[in-house]
Amino acid sequence: KWDYVGVAYAIRARECMTLTDVTDDVIYTEAFRPEQLVFNYDNQQTVYEGVLNFCRLALDYLSRTGDGVSQVNLNKGDSYMNGGDVNKWKKFVYAVMAKTFHRYTNKSTLYQPDSVIKYCDLAMQTNAENTNLRWSNAGGSGTYSWYSSFRGNVGSFRQTKFIADLMSGLNNQFLSGTVDPRAPYIIRENPNGTYKGTRPNKGTDGLATADQPHNYWGGLFSTTTGSDATSRYVFTNSPVWPIITASEIQFVKAEALLRKNDKPAALAAYLNGINLNFDQLLADY
């Protein structure tokens, strides 16, 4: 079942990349030595090199045929992500490679925009090729999203002033007064029908009651409950949860092209990323 091995390496690559992204130096080369009680930490460059190695192993196994390789069989363990489609898993791997090469943006001796662009072009190009996570919605906590009203984990969370001001045009560093058309998909309005947010740990942050944003499930600011029927975006019981998308890859490519000083191509990729994001919101949310 070489396809299962390939998927395992693909997931391991992405998780190792995310681990060192978040925590910097980590236990990596010595992580699986059960005889040890004390471990050395590895720097990010070492981990990123390991990630690329896992990616190459994943591509090797995902390209194998025969033996127990079967989309039907792989789908038994992959029905809530890529449906057993090894070609989608390959694009996922190429996306991880693109993002890993792009991690070197502040290291001029290591950063190679052409490598980033190459693997972006091999990664997902359409929303049909995105890697998303889904839930069965069958009943019971494990079948619903952690962010859903059924699970009740984010009832006290509220959108911040930063994202609300960005999307409502109140942040004057961007198009002042222009509401982002994606706002009603992603963030919540208030009883006045406008988009406001608070600063962390500031309570209502001085907002009048009618300006206080609804919670993520459509309830009033003062409540910590809501329903799936009034929830949106990734806050429903069984949302489409994006893991890596074609839109994200186009933004990565745009930055690599800009760093290469190919501004026309960078703008084209940037606009493509925006359009793909609009299309995804319309289709999935």
Side-chain angles (χ1 to χ4, degrees):
K1 301 179 181 178
W2 306 120
D3 43 4
Y4 269 93
V5 179
V7 169
Y9 273 120
I11 293 173
R12 188 174 186 181
R14 193 260 185 178
E15 294 313 309
C16 284
M17 179 188 72
T18 304
L19 175 65
T20 194
D21 285 350
V22 173
T23 61
D24 201 0
D25 292 358
V26 294
I27 300 168
Y28 176 71
T29 56
E30 298 181 355
F32 298 102
R33 295 182 183 176
E35 73 280 4
Q36 289 185 205
L37 297 177
V38 179
F39 300 86
N40 290 308
Y41 281 68
D42 295 290
N43 61 28
Q44 283 187 315
Q45 185 176 343
T46 299
V47 182
Y48 288 141
E49 289 171 355
V51 168
L52 294 172
N53 186 50
F54 288 144
C55 286
R56 295 180 183 106
L57 285 168
L59 291 170
D60 177 32
Y61 284 110
L62 289 169
S63 297
R64 298 188 186 191
T65 58
D67 296 318
V69 173
S70 161
Q71 181 171 353
V72 172
N73 189 56
L74 180 58
N75 185 56
K76 293 178 181 179
D78 187 30
S79 59
Y80 296 112
M81 284 189 73
N82 284 329
D85 187 339
V86 294
N87 289 319
K88 288 185 71 172
W89 277 109
K90 286 181 182 179
K91 291 183 180 296
F92 173 90
V93 173
Y94 287 129
V96 172
M97 296 181 81
K99 292 172 70 172
T100 301
F101 277 113
H102 198 49
R103 293 300 193 261
Y104 294 125
T105 49
N106 288 330
K107 297 177 174 61
S108 58
T109 59
L110 294 172
Y111 188 66
Q112 300 174 22
D114 287 335
S115 293
V116 179
I117 295 163
K118 170 185 175 180
Y119 290 110
C120 281
D121 288 342
L122 290 169
M124 53 281 289
Q125 303 298 305
T126 69
N127 287 319
E129 297 170 335
N130 292 347
T131 293
N132 301 308
L133 182 64
R134 292 175 171 81
W135 283 262
S136 68
N137 203 15
S141 292
T143 68
Y144 298 120
S145 167
W146 193 87
Y147 288 86
S148 68
S149 59
F150 181 91
R151 299 288 294 275
N153 292 313
V154 297
S156 62
F157 291 13
R158 299 293 179 272
Q159 67 201 28
T160 64
K161 176 178 171 62
F162 179 72
I163 185 64
D165 287 358
L166 277 178
M167 302 201 81
S168 66
L170 292 178
N171 186 318
N172 60 16
Q173 295 300 308
F174 296 93
L175 293 175
S176 180
T178 302
V179 177
D180 191 319
R182 294 170 295 182
Y185 289 90
I186 296 172
I187 59 176
R188 299 299 311 211
E189 63 281 359
N190 52 40
N192 276 333
T194 60
Y195 300 99
K196 304 283 187 179
T198 63
R199 293 171 296 172
N201 302 314
K202 295 292 184 179
T204 61
D205 205 15
L207 292 176
T209 300
D211 283 333
Q212 295 167 11
H214 291 150
N215 68 33
Y216 289 121
W217 307 317
L220 293 174
F221 184 93
S222 58
T223 65
T224 58
T225 59
S227 71
D228 191 53
T230 55
S231 300
R232 297 198 295 253
Y233 194 43
V234 297
F235 301 99
T236 60
N237 283 337
S238 54
V240 175
W241 188 276
I243 303 298
I244 305 180
T245 67
S247 176
E248 178 188 5
I249 293 304
Q250 287 302 304
F251 291 134
V252 172
K253 181 179 178 181
E255 187 171 345
L257 285 163
L258 189 62
R259 289 175 178 273
K260 193 181 176 182
N261 204 33
D262 189 345
K263 294 182 179 180
L267 178 60
Y270 181 70
L271 293 175
N272 192 26
I274 292 173
N275 286 325
L276 283 164
N277 186 233
F278 274 115
D279 292 344
Q280 182 189 20
L281 289 170
L282 287 168
D284 293 335
Y285 306 105

